[in-house]
C-alpha cells in the first residue's frame, strides 16, 4: 500500500474490466486517478467503484485515438490534481479477420488504432510531465499478438507490434527527461475471453468447416507453464510496479504476464517432464554434413 502516494495517473480504456482493475489498483496504492473510456457509463462505473472504496478518481469520457480529446483529458488531469506522473493506455480496435477477407478500410482503421492511441497519450502525457518537472511513467498494454503470428489476427498483431516498437522508441526519445516508457504483455486473460468468444462463434458452422476445429480454452491452457490464465489483477500488479519508483531503472522494457507462455520452448507443454528419456533421444541423433545425413552419433 501507498506505493504511489502523491502521484497522479490517467488510465485510458478503463471500463470495469482490465483498465478498471488497473485504475483501482493504482488508486489503492495512493494515486489520484483520471479514468478515461470511450464509453461514458463504463468510466463512471469504474470511478463509482474506486470512490466506494475510499479512493480518489474522476471520470473523463472520450476517444483516445483523437488528439483534441487526449489533449483535453491530459489538461483535465493537471487542472484537477496539479500534475501528471503515470499513464496507462490500452485503447484500440481488436479486429479478427483472415487476410483473405480483409477490407482495406477496416484494416487501416484497426491497424492505426493502437499505435495512434499510444502516440497521442504518450506525447501529451510527456509534455505535461516535462512542464510539471515530473519524471513520469508511461505504460502501454500489448498482447501476445504483438510477438507472434496468429491466424485471423493479422490486423490486431500488426497494430500491437507497431505499438510495441513505438513504445521502445518513445522510451529513447524521453529518456533524457527521465520519463520511462514500458509495456505489459498479457496472454489471454481468464475472466472474459472464452465466454466472449463462445458468444461470438457460431459453433455448428465453425466446426463444420473442414480443417478448422474449435480451439478450446483447455488446449490453450495446456501451453501455459504456470497452468492458469492471468487475471486482470495480475496485470494491475505489473502496472503498479512499473508506475512506482521501484521501477525507476526500467525503460523500454516489456513485462510478459503470461505464466511463462512466451519464453517456453514452443513444442514443449507443461507436464511433459515425465516420460522423456534423454538417452534414447541422444542415441537417435544423426549427424549431417553439407545437408546429407552421415551416420548415427551413437549406437
Ligand atoms: N482480454 C484479453 O484476454 C486480452 C489479452 C491480451 C491483451 N488484451 C488487451 O487488453 C486491453 C483491454 O482488453 P479487454 O479485453 O479488457 O477489452 P474491453 O473491451 O473489456 O476493454 C477495453 C476498454 O477500452 C475502451 N475503449 C476502446 N476503444 C477506446 C478508445 N478509442 N478510447 C478510449 N477507450 C476505449 C472500451 O470501451 C473498453 O471499456 C486491450 O488493449 C487488449 O488488446 C486483452
Amino acid at each position: 500500500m501507498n506505493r504511489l502516494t502523491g502521484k497522479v495517473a490517467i488510465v485510458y480504456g478503463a471500463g470495469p474490466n482490465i483498465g478498471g482493475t488497473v485504475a483501482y489498483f493504482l488508486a489503492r496504492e495512493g494515486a489520484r486517478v483520471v479514468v478515461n473510456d470511450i464509453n461514458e457509463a463504463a468510466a463512471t462505473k469504474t470511478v463509482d467503484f474506486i470512490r466506494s472504496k475510499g479512493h480518489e478518481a474522476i471520470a473523463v469520457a472520450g476517444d483516445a485515438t483523437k488528439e483534441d480529446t487526449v489533449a483535453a483529458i491530459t489538461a483535465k488531469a493537471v487542472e484537477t490534481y496539479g500534475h501528471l506522473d503515470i499513464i496507462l493506455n490500452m485503447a484500440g480496435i481488436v479486429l479478427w479477420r483472415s487476410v483473405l477477407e480483409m477490407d482495406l478500410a477496416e484494416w487501416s482503421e484497426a491497424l492505426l488504432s493502437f499505435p495512434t492511441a499510444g502516440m497521442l497519450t504518450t506525447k501529451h502525457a510527456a509534455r505535461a510531465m516535462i512542464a510539471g518537472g515530473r519524471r513520469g511513467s508511461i505504460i502501454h498494454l500489448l498482447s501476445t499478438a504483438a510477438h507472434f503470428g496468429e491466424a485471423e489476427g493479422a490486423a490486431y498483431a500488426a497494430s500491437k507490434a507497431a505499438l510495441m516498437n513505438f513504445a521502445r522508441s518513445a522510451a529513447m526519445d524521453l529518456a533524457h527527461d527521465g520519463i520511462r516508457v514500458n509495456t505489459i504483455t498479457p496472454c489471454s486473460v481468464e475472466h472474459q475471453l472464452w465466454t466472449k468468444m463462445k458468444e461470438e462463434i457460431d459453433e455448428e458452422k465453425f466446426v463444420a468447416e473442414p480443417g478448422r476445429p474449435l480451439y478450446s480454452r483447455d488446449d490453450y491452457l495446456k501451453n501455459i507453464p504456470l497452468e492458469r490464465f492471468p487475471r486482470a489483477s495480475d496485470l494491475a500488479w505489473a502496472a503498479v510496479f512499473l508506475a512506482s519508483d521501484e521501477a525507476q531503472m526500467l525503460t523500454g522494457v516489456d513485462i510478459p504476464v503470461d505464466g511463462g507462455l512466451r519464453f517456453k520452448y514452443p513444442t514443449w507443454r507443461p507436464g511433459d517432464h515425465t516420460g522423456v528419456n534423454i538417452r534414447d533421444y541422444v542415441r537417435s541423433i544423426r549427424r549431417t554434413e553439407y545437408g546429407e545425413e552421415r551416420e548415427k552419433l551413437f549406437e
Side-chain angles (χ1 to χ4, degrees):
M1 295 293 154
N2 301 324
R3 290 159 75 189
L4 304 175
T5 301
K7 296 191 191 290
V8 175
I10 305 175
V11 181
Y12 290 94
N17 206 355
I18 294 172
T21 307
V22 172
Y24 168 50
F25 273 50
L26 297 179
R28 210 171 55 172
E29 293 293 338
R32 289 166 291 166
V33 185
V34 174
V35 172
N36 158 263
D37 201 283
I38 199 166
N39 176 340
E40 190 165 6
T44 305
K45 199 169 171 190
T46 294
V47 166
D48 288 348
F49 177 79
I50 292 173
R51 287 184 178 164
S52 76
K53 297 288 181 184
H55 308 299
E56 176 65 38
I58 55 164
V60 187
D63 184 343
T65 64
K66 299 280 181 285
E67 181 139 28
D68 290 353
T69 308
V70 174
I73 294 166
T74 310
K76 179 78 180 170
V78 174
E79 179 195 311
T80 310
Y81 295 128
H83 52 88
L84 181 62
D85 305 278
I86 301 157
I87 67 154
L88 184 132
N89 158 59
M90 64 181 64
I93 297 166
V94 180
L95 174 67
W96 295 109
R97 188 83 72 242
S98 163
V99 68
L100 295 170
E101 286 132 32
M102 194 70 79
D103 169 78
L104 181 59
E106 236 180 5
W107 159 263
S108 304
E109 191 187 18
L111 180 69
L112 270 177
S113 65
F114 284 105
T116 300
M119 185 278 289
L120 291 174
T121 57
T122 301
K123 170 182 160 183
H124 288 278
R127 285 182 172 185
M129 288 168 183
I130 292 164
R134 316 291 290 192
R135 298 169 75 85
S137 171
I138 294 174
I139 308 161
H140 298 286
L141 198 68
L142 303 176
S143 159
T144 37
H147 307 272
F148 301 115
E150 192 168 1
E152 309 208 345
Y156 183 48
S159 188
K160 286 284 186 175
L163 176 61
M164 177 170 70
N165 270 331
F166 161 77
R168 287 175 177 162
S169 302
M172 302 306 122
D173 275 349
L174 300 172
H176 182 70
D177 296 295
I179 296 170
R180 301 180 289 108
V181 186
N182 296 294
T183 57
I184 296 171
T185 293
C187 64
S188 291
V189 175
E190 172 69 83
H191 57 278
Q192 44 134 37
L193 178 78
W194 302 96
T195 47
K196 201 169 163 185
M197 278 181 76
K198 205 166 156 46
E199 284 158 17
E200 282 170 3
I201 290 172
D202 178 345
E203 285 189 39
E204 277 177 30
K205 191 175 148 213
F206 203 72
V207 172
E209 273 187 65
R212 298 184 78 188
L214 267 181
Y215 178 51
S216 77
R217 178 188 192 283
D218 288 347
D219 287 336
Y220 195 122
L221 192 56
K222 281 179 197 145
N223 285 288
I224 301 180
L226 289 181
E227 300 188 69
R228 79 162 171 81
F229 289 100
R231 304 180 185 112
S233 55
D234 295 309
L235 304 179
W237 280 123
V240 166
F241 169 63
L242 286 176
S244 76
D245 294 341
E246 297 156 20
Q248 61 185 266
M249 264 310 277
L250 272 67
T251 197
V253 162
D254 179 57
I255 298 187
V257 181
D258 64 1
L261 178 68
R262 177 154 37 119
F263 295 120
K264 89 177 176 70
Y265 193 75
T267 54
W268 175 83
R269 287 180 163 206
D272 284 355
H273 308 81
T274 52
V276 175
N277 185 332
I278 195 70
R279 290 195 182 84
D280 286 349
Y281 170 70
V282 169
R283 272 190 212 106
S284 70
I285 290 175
R286 287 166 195 274
R287 181 175 280 162
T288 61
E289 285 186 358
Y290 312 113
E292 300 295 329
E293 189 175 295
R294 211 187 72 181
E295 68 200 15
K296 264 195 173 181
L297 282 184
F298 307 98
E299 289 302 335

